[in-house]
Amino acid sequence: MLSTNQTDSAIEYAPKYRNAKVLTIDGMGHTSGIARNVCGFGKVRACYQSNALPGNDSFCPLEPGPFGVQLDGILKHSLEQAGFASPVD
């Protein structure tokens, strides 16, 4: 299983590994682990404990960040609404 956020390249590399699955965690940071996403941690834990891959349920939405701040929609749209360039080209 490759775990990524919306700006990393795991989707590009997954086809190079037989039976690979990609778990996308919507959040900021170079790696998906920095996002502190409960959904993502649960799916990674299930993979390590029982080899359970996420299958079609492979997207974990953005969760509240520090101080309970919650952005609307996915991170990409929130950044665009704030006037920042799109993190995904």
Side-chain angles (χ1 to χ4, degrees), residues 5-73:
N5 63 25
Q6 299 228 24
T7 61
D8 281 340
S9 56
I11 294 170
E12 173 185 335
Y13 290 104
K16 297 178 182 183
Y17 299 93
R18 184 171 34 136
N19 299 324
K21 299 292 182 191
V22 175
L23 170 62
T24 302
I25 299 171
D26 194 23
M28 296 183 82
H30 177 62
T31 62
S32 58
I34 200 82
R36 305 259 183 231
N37 184 288
V38 175
C39 167
F41 285 157
K43 291 180 187 304
V44 170
R45 184 181 326 105
C47 181
Y48 282 123
Q49 291 179 341
S50 64
N51 280 338
L53 295 174
N56 292 331
D57 185 22
S58 60
F59 181 82
C60 289
L62 187 64
E63 294 179 352
F67 310 108
V69 174
Q70 175 69 50
L71 300 173
D72 294 327

